[in-house]
């Protein structure tokens, strides 16, 4: 025959001289419930914070710039950003001082200012040539839109 122990079968601690053992679970109960409440305040809203699908189910594409990433995607995006930054720094034809990068799910977002149309095209093509880049979204502003090419040796 199997004997099942219930919570009422536990020996009573009132027999000992240490009265703190009786009160320990009762004093921790409000603390534990407070911690669980705080955690639920952060976890439950985060589960429902995604954007609603407002488009047609056939043509709807999620906004990859705002969508959450898995740890593996975050690491691959970080490695891709490091490769892009090293390539931009090592290239003498592109002035990368005003270019800011953001990589999400393999999509590279270029923000900032470049000197002319040539710099814009070179930065975009350089980033596009790196393995692992799914797409380039260029939001670069051109400081001198009429200038097509500036050769530093001619000045």
């Amino acid at each position: 025959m199997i004997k099942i122990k219930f919570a009422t079968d536990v020996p009573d601690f009132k027999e000992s001289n240490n009265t703190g053992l009786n009160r320990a679970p009762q004093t921790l109960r409000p603390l534990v419930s407070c911690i669980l409440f705080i955690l639920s305040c952060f976890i439950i809203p985060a589960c429902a914070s995604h954007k609603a699908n407002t488009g047609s189910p056939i043509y709807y594409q999620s906004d990859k710039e705002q969508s959450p990433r898995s740890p593996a995607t975050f690491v691959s995006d970080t490695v891709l950003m490091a490769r892009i930054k090293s390539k931009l720094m090592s290239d003498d034809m592109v002035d990368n001082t005003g270019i800011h990068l953001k990589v999400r799910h393999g999509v590279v977002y270029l923000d900032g200012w470049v000197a002319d149309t040539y710099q814009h095209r070179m930065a975009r093509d350089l980033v596009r040539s790196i393995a692992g880049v799914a797409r380039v979204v260029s939001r670069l502003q051109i400081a001198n839109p009429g200038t097509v090419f500036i050769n530093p040796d001619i000045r």
Side-chain angles (χ1 to χ4, degrees):
M1 182 166 163
I2 299 173
K3 184 177 180 181
I4 300 173
K5 287 190 174 187
F6 295 101
T8 57
D9 295 341
V10 178
D12 197 13
F13 288 105
K14 291 181 182 177
E15 299 167 357
S16 67
N17 293 336
N18 190 354
T19 59
L21 289 176
N22 289 337
R23 295 186 186 151
Q26 295 299 323
T27 57
L28 291 178
R29 187 172 289 161
L31 177 65
V32 170
S33 63
C34 182
I35 290 172
L36 289 175
F37 175 74
I38 291 172
L39 285 175
S40 66
C41 287
F42 290 110
I43 293 173
I44 292 172
C47 293
S49 67
H50 65 282
K51 286 184 176 180
N53 184 354
T54 57
S56 170
I58 296 172
Y59 299 107
Y60 177 74
Q61 292 180 353
S62 65
D63 185 10
K64 288 193 174 200
E65 190 173 6
Q66 301 299 328
S67 62
R69 295 183 284 186
S70 69
T73 306
F74 178 78
V75 170
S76 65
D77 286 345
T78 306
V79 169
L80 184 59
M81 182 181 285
R83 277 198 264 149
I84 293 169
K85 283 186 176 183
S86 67
K87 187 116 177 191
L88 282 173
M89 283 190 213
S90 65
D91 195 296
D92 295 334
M93 298 299 287
V94 178
D95 181 23
N96 65 339
T97 55
I99 299 174
H100 304 285
L101 294 172
K102 185 176 181 183
V103 180
R104 301 282 297 192
H105 302 285
V107 178
V108 180
Y109 297 91
L110 298 173
D111 294 313
W113 289 87
V114 290
D116 53 19
T117 309
Y118 177 75
Q119 292 285 319
H120 179 270
R121 188 175 24 163
M122 285 298 293
R124 190 182 64 227
D125 291 345
L126 184 72
V127 171
R128 196 175 282 151
S129 71
I130 298 171
V133 174
R135 188 172 56 134
V136 177
V137 177
S138 178
R139 299 183 287 209
L140 292 171
Q141 302 292 319
I142 300 171
N144 303 317
T147 308
V148 176
F149 179 76
I150 298 175
N151 190 347
D153 298 331
I154 296 176
R155 294 183 192 183

Coordinates of all heavy atoms in Angstrom, one line a residue, residues 2-39:
I2 N 0.5 2.2 -0.8 CA 1.3 3.5 -0.9 C 0.7 4.5 0.0 O -0.5 4.8 0.0 CB 1.3 4.0 -2.4 CG1 1.9 3.0 -3.3 CG2 2.0 5.3 -2.5 CD1 1.7 3.3 -4.8
K3 N 1.6 5.1 0.8 CA 1.1 6.1 1.7 C 1.4 7.5 1.1 O 2.5 7.8 0.7 CB 1.8 5.9 3.1 CG 1.3 6.9 4.1 CD 2.0 6.7 5.4 CE 1.4 7.7 6.4 NZ 2.0 7.6 7.7
I4 N 0.4 8.3 1.1 CA 0.6 9.7 0.5 C 0.7 10.7 1.7 O -0.1 10.7 2.6 CB -0.6 10.1 -0.4 CG1 -0.7 9.1 -1.5 CG2 -0.5 11.5 -0.9 CD1 -2.0 9.2 -2.4
K5 N 1.7 11.5 1.6 CA 1.9 12.5 2.7 C 1.2 13.8 2.3 O 1.3 14.3 1.1 CB 3.4 12.8 2.9 CG 4.1 11.7 3.6 CD 5.5 12.2 4.0 CE 6.1 11.1 4.8 NZ 7.4 11.6 5.3
F6 N 0.4 14.4 3.2 CA -0.2 15.6 3.0 C 0.5 16.7 3.8 O 1.4 16.4 4.6 CB -1.7 15.6 3.4 CG -2.5 14.6 2.6 CD1 -2.8 13.3 3.0 CD2 -2.9 15.0 1.3 CE1 -3.5 12.5 2.2 CE2 -3.7 14.2 0.5 CZ -4.0 12.9 1.0
A7 N 0.2 18.0 3.5 CA 0.8 19.1 4.2 C 0.5 19.0 5.7 O 1.3 19.5 6.5 CB 0.3 20.4 3.6
T8 N -0.6 18.4 6.0 CA -0.9 18.3 7.5 C -0.1 17.2 8.2 O -0.1 17.2 9.4 CB -2.4 18.0 7.6 OG1 -2.7 16.8 6.9 CG2 -3.3 19.2 7.1
D9 N 0.6 16.3 7.4 CA 1.4 15.3 8.0 C 2.7 15.7 8.4 O 3.5 15.0 9.0 CB 1.5 14.1 7.0 CG 0.2 13.4 6.7 OD1 -0.8 13.6 7.5 OD2 0.1 12.7 5.7
V10 N 3.1 16.9 8.0 CA 4.5 17.4 8.3 C 4.5 17.7 9.8 O 3.6 18.2 10.4 CB 4.7 18.8 7.6 CG1 6.1 19.3 7.9 CG2 4.6 18.5 6.1
P11 N 5.6 17.3 10.5 CA 5.7 17.5 11.9 C 5.6 19.0 12.3 O 6.1 19.9 11.5 CB 7.1 17.0 12.3 CG 7.8 16.6 11.1 CD 6.8 16.7 9.9
D12 N 5.1 19.3 13.4 CA 4.8 20.6 13.8 C 6.1 21.2 14.5 O 6.7 20.6 15.3 CB 3.7 20.7 14.8 CG 3.1 22.0 15.0 OD1 3.4 22.9 14.2 OD2 2.3 22.2 16.0
F13 N 6.5 22.4 14.1 CA 7.7 23.1 14.6 C 7.4 23.8 15.9 O 8.3 24.4 16.5 CB 8.2 24.0 13.6 CG 8.9 23.4 12.4 CD1 8.2 23.3 11.2 CD2 10.1 22.8 12.5 CE1 8.8 22.7 10.1 CE2 10.7 22.1 11.5 CZ 10.0 22.1 10.2
K14 N 6.2 23.8 16.4 CA 5.9 24.5 17.6 C 6.5 23.9 18.8 O 6.7 24.5 19.8 CB 4.4 24.6 17.8 CG 3.7 25.5 16.8 CD 2.2 25.5 17.0 CE 1.6 26.4 15.9 NZ 0.1 26.4 16.1
E15 N 6.9 22.6 18.7 CA 7.6 21.9 19.8 C 8.9 22.5 20.1 O 9.4 22.4 21.2 CB 7.6 20.4 19.5 CG 6.3 19.8 19.3 CD 6.4 18.4 18.7 OE1 7.5 18.0 18.4 OE2 5.4 17.8 18.5
S16 N 9.6 23.0 19.1 CA 11.0 23.5 19.3 C 10.9 24.9 20.0 O 9.9 25.6 20.0 CB 11.7 23.6 18.0 OG 11.2 24.6 17.2
N17 N 12.1 25.3 20.5 CA 12.2 26.6 21.2 C 12.3 27.8 20.2 O 12.0 28.9 20.6 CB 13.4 26.6 22.1 CG 13.2 25.6 23.3 OD1 12.0 25.3 23.6 ND2 14.3 25.1 23.9
N18 N 12.7 27.5 19.0 CA 12.9 28.5 18.0 C 11.5 28.9 17.4 O 11.0 28.2 16.5 CB 13.9 28.1 16.9 CG 14.3 29.2 16.0 OD1 13.8 30.3 16.1 ND2 15.3 28.9 15.2
T19 N 11.0 30.0 17.7 CA 9.7 30.4 17.2 C 9.8 31.1 15.8 O 8.8 31.3 15.2 CB 9.0 31.4 18.2 OG1 9.8 32.5 18.3 CG2 8.7 30.7 19.5
G20 N 11.0 31.5 15.4 CA 11.2 32.1 14.1 C 10.9 31.2 12.9 O 10.6 31.6 11.8
L21 N 11.0 29.9 13.1 CA 10.7 28.9 12.1 C 9.3 28.9 11.7 O 8.9 28.7 10.6 CB 11.2 27.5 12.5 CG 12.7 27.3 12.5 CD1 13.0 25.9 13.0 CD2 13.3 27.5 11.2
N22 N 8.4 29.2 12.7 CA 7.0 29.2 12.4 C 6.6 30.4 11.5 O 5.7 30.4 10.7 CB 6.2 29.2 13.7 CG 6.2 27.9 14.4 OD1 6.5 26.9 13.7 ND2 6.0 27.9 15.7
R23 N 7.3 31.5 11.7 CA 6.9 32.8 11.1 C 7.6 33.0 9.8 O 7.2 33.8 9.0 CB 7.2 33.9 12.0 CG 6.3 33.9 13.2 CD 6.5 35.1 14.1 NE 5.8 35.0 15.3 CZ 6.1 35.5 16.4 NH1 7.2 36.3 16.5 NH2 5.4 35.3 17.5
A24 N 8.6 32.2 9.5 CA 9.4 32.5 8.2 C 8.6 32.3 7.0 O 8.6 33.2 6.2 CB 10.6 31.5 8.2
P25 N 7.8 31.3 6.8 CA 7.0 31.2 5.6 C 5.9 32.3 5.5 O 5.6 32.8 4.5 CB 6.3 29.8 5.7 CG 7.2 29.0 6.6 CD 7.7 30.0 7.6
Q26 N 5.4 32.7 6.7 CA 4.3 33.7 6.7 C 4.9 35.1 6.3 O 4.3 35.9 5.7 CB 3.7 33.8 8.0 CG 2.9 32.5 8.4 CD 1.8 32.3 7.4 OE1 1.1 33.2 6.9 NE2 1.5 31.0 7.0
T27 N 6.2 35.4 6.7 CA 6.8 36.7 6.4 C 7.3 36.7 5.0 O 7.3 37.8 4.4 CB 8.0 37.0 7.4 OG1 8.9 35.9 7.3 CG2 7.5 37.1 8.8
L28 N 7.6 35.6 4.4 CA 8.1 35.6 3.0 C 6.9 35.7 2.0 O 7.1 36.1 0.9 CB 8.9 34.4 2.8 CG 10.3 34.4 3.4 CD1 11.0 33.1 3.1 CD2 11.1 35.6 3.0
R29 N 5.7 35.3 2.4 CA 4.6 35.2 1.5 C 4.3 36.6 0.9 O 4.1 36.7 -0.3 CB 3.4 34.7 2.2 CG 2.2 34.4 1.3 CD 1.1 33.7 2.0 NE 1.5 32.4 2.2 CZ 0.9 31.6 3.1 NH1 -0.1 32.0 3.8 NH2 1.3 30.3 3.2
P30 N 4.2 37.7 1.6 CA 4.0 39.0 0.9 C 5.1 39.4 0.0 O 4.9 40.0 -1.1 CB 3.8 40.0 2.1 CG 3.6 39.2 3.3 CD 4.2 37.9 3.1
L31 N 6.3 39.1 0.3 CA 7.5 39.4 -0.5 C 7.4 38.6 -1.8 O 7.6 39.2 -2.9 CB 8.8 39.1 0.2 CG 10.1 39.4 -0.6 CD1 10.2 40.9 -0.9 CD2 11.3 38.9 0.2
V32 N 7.1 37.3 -1.7 CA 7.1 36.5 -2.9 C 5.9 37.0 -3.8 O 6.0 37.1 -5.0 CB 6.9 35.0 -2.5 CG1 6.6 34.2 -3.7 CG2 8.2 34.5 -1.9
S33 N 4.7 37.3 -3.2 CA 3.6 37.7 -4.0 C 3.9 39.1 -4.6 O 3.5 39.3 -5.8 CB 2.3 37.8 -3.2 OG 2.5 38.7 -2.1
C34 N 4.6 39.9 -4.0 CA 5.0 41.3 -4.6 C 5.9 41.1 -5.7 O 5.8 41.7 -6.8 CB 5.6 42.1 -3.5 SG 6.1 43.8 -4.0
I35 N 6.9 40.2 -5.6 CA 7.8 39.9 -6.7 C 7.1 39.3 -7.9 O 7.3 39.7 -9.0 CB 9.0 39.0 -6.2 CG1 9.9 39.7 -5.2 CG2 9.8 38.4 -7.4 CD1 10.9 38.9 -4.6
L36 N 6.2 38.4 -7.7 CA 5.4 37.8 -8.8 C 4.5 38.8 -9.4 O 4.4 38.8 -10.7 CB 4.6 36.6 -8.2 CG 5.4 35.4 -7.8 CD1 4.4 34.3 -7.2 CD2 6.1 34.8 -9.0
F37 N 4.0 39.7 -8.7 CA 3.1 40.8 -9.2 C 4.0 41.7 -10.1 O 3.6 42.0 -11.3 CB 2.5 41.6 -8.1 CG 1.7 42.8 -8.7 CD1 0.5 42.6 -9.3 CD2 2.2 44.1 -8.5 CE1 -0.2 43.6 -9.8 CE2 1.5 45.1 -9.0 CZ 0.2 44.9 -9.7
I38 N 5.1 42.1 -9.7 CA 6.0 43.0 -10.5 C 6.4 42.3 -11.8 O 6.4 42.9 -12.8 CB 7.2 43.4 -9.6 CG1 6.7 44.4 -8.5 CG2 8.3 44.1 -10.5 CD1 7.8 44.8 -7.5
L39 N 6.8 41.0 -11.7 CA 7.2 40.3 -12.9 C 6.1 40.2 -13.8 O 6.2 40.3 -15.1 CB 7.7 38.9 -12.5 CG 9.1 38.8 -11.9 CD1 9.4 37.4 -11.4 CD2 10.1 39.3 -12.8

